Amino acid sequence: MPRGPRRASSLPGVLVAVVALLGVVATWRVFVDTWAGQWTEEAVLRGAEYGQGALWTVAEPVLDVVSVSYIALVLVAAMLIAVFRRRWALAIQVVVLVAGSNITTQLIKRVVTDRPDLGVPGPGMNALPSGHTTAAASVSAVLVLVVPPRVRPWAAALGAGYTAATGVSTLVGQWHRPSDVMAAVLVVLFWSCVTCVLVARHPGVPGDSPRTATGEIAIARSPRSSVAGSRTGALLLAVAGIAAAVPSALSLRRTWVRAGELEARADLLTAYAGAVLGVVAVSALAFAVLLVVRHAATSRVEAP
């Protein structure tokens, strides 16, 4: 592939990766490194206590699924799909995405960031990003990578739903604050974009791209139905994300303004609902963007 088209295909991934990385920094700075941010999330944790018993019966099984063996099983299954499709580079991308996302989360949590003591009650240990959400989002992103283009929108919708369910479940159990979940999704989005940039910049991996009778790489657009499906899927996920983001922003802003003063049940539940909607919004928007980036990276090398 000529250098110009390669750059054009990789540009969306580079831009989104930078934005995702900055998003992780901004999330920590706003919600962890400020007094109002810590109080906002403390209100969310207190709001999670209402109805927790009933909700935990649903949330606990979701969280119990996530484990080292679960990640390993998904890795093997994804690599088998890649091999079955004769996309050898996909197997490498799967490892890069999952390993990169989960290792980065642990490094950020244990080495890079901390949680300053600003006089806000509640757990003092740093938990950003969420390991459970990172695991769920990374295996969901892997699914988007390995399935054929025509199935990709469905995989993205399923991945967004599973990621949101895992993130919300950590809120229900008071395992994590909303910023932990949002940062985890952004970490996975960053590594997803890195893998997309790799495939856009190096589409000629033997056995990974369709070739002509002379052995040259066949540059082919994806079928119109696949292109339309990716666009429609991304649009629907974006609409869902925005629909959740607007009330979430209003709710969290109200909580932020009244930081440290919230005690009434209605106020705490408002903060909790805003956090839940925020997790849904970030998950939906992240997978909408991933659909666009993945299509841009592979549209010139995926045979009809």
Side-chain angles (χ1 to χ4, degrees):
M1 182 189 298
R3 184 172 298 178
R6 287 186 187 182
R7 288 179 177 174
S9 298
S10 62
L11 183 59
V14 172
L15 293 177
V16 174
V18 172
V19 171
L21 189 59
L22 293 175
V24 174
V25 176
T27 300
W28 175 83
R29 179 68 182 86
V30 171
F31 289 102
V32 181
D33 200 36
T34 64
W35 179 85
Q38 288 195 11
W39 263 114
T40 297
E41 296 202 304
E42 176 61 18
V44 173
L45 290 180
R46 293 182 182 182
E49 295 174 358
Y50 294 101
Q52 188 178 52
L55 293 174
W56 186 241
T57 60
V58 178
E60 186 177 19
V62 175
L63 296 176
D64 285 344
V65 170
V66 181
S67 63
V68 174
S69 58
Y70 165 73
I71 295 175
L73 180 63
V74 173
L75 267 174
V76 171
M79 292 175 72
L80 287 175
I81 294 175
V83 171
F84 180 76
R85 294 185 62 205
R86 292 188 175 183
R87 299 294 176 89
W88 318 121
L90 271 179
I92 299 175
Q93 293 171 42
V94 166
V95 175
V96 169
L97 196 163
V98 175
S101 297
N102 288 276
I103 292 174
T104 299
T105 282
Q106 296 305 317
L107 287 175
I108 291 175
K109 183 186 304 186
R110 302 177 188 276
V111 179
V112 179
T113 63
D114 60 4
R115 185 175 184 84
D117 184 1
L118 302 178
V120 178
M125 61 184 297
N126 181 53
L128 182 149
S130 162
H132 275 75
T133 307
T134 299
S138 61
V139 298
S140 298
V142 159
L143 184 63
V144 176
L145 261 62
V146 300
V147 298
R150 65 181 180 277
V151 188
R152 206 169 281 159
W154 297 100
L158 181 64
Y162 176 56
T163 299
T166 302
V168 170
S169 294
T170 66
L171 298 185
V172 172
Q174 295 178 303
W175 288 14
H176 283 285
R177 305 172 179 89
S179 62
D180 304 340
V181 176
M182 295 175 188
V185 175
L186 291 173
V187 166
V188 173
L189 181 59
F190 168 81
W191 278 103
S192 299
C193 290
V194 169
T195 60
C196 290
V197 170
L198 289 176
V199 75
R201 300 290 291 183
H202 304 285
V205 178
D208 199 52
S209 299
R211 295 175 178 270
T212 64
T214 60
E216 297 177 350
I217 298 174
I219 304 300
R221 296 285 185 180
S222 295
R224 290 184 179 180
S225 59
S226 297
V227 175
S230 291
R231 290 175 178 173
T232 301
L235 179 60
L236 291 176
L237 282 171
V239 169
I242 294 172
V246 172
S248 172
L250 293 175
S251 171
L252 293 177
R253 180 183 180 279
R254 180 176 182 273
T255 305
W256 179 286
V257 171
R258 301 180 59 196
E261 303 175 359
L262 302 176
E263 294 294 341
R265 173 172 177 164
D267 293 331
L268 298 178
L269 286 175
T270 297
Y272 183 36
V276 169
L277 289 173
V279 169
V280 172
V282 170
S283 300
L285 291 173
F287 278 87
V289 171
L290 177 56
L291 265 182
V292 174
V293 172
R294 186 62 178 174
H295 174 70
T298 61
S299 61
R300 298 187 63 84
V301 296
E302 288 179 325

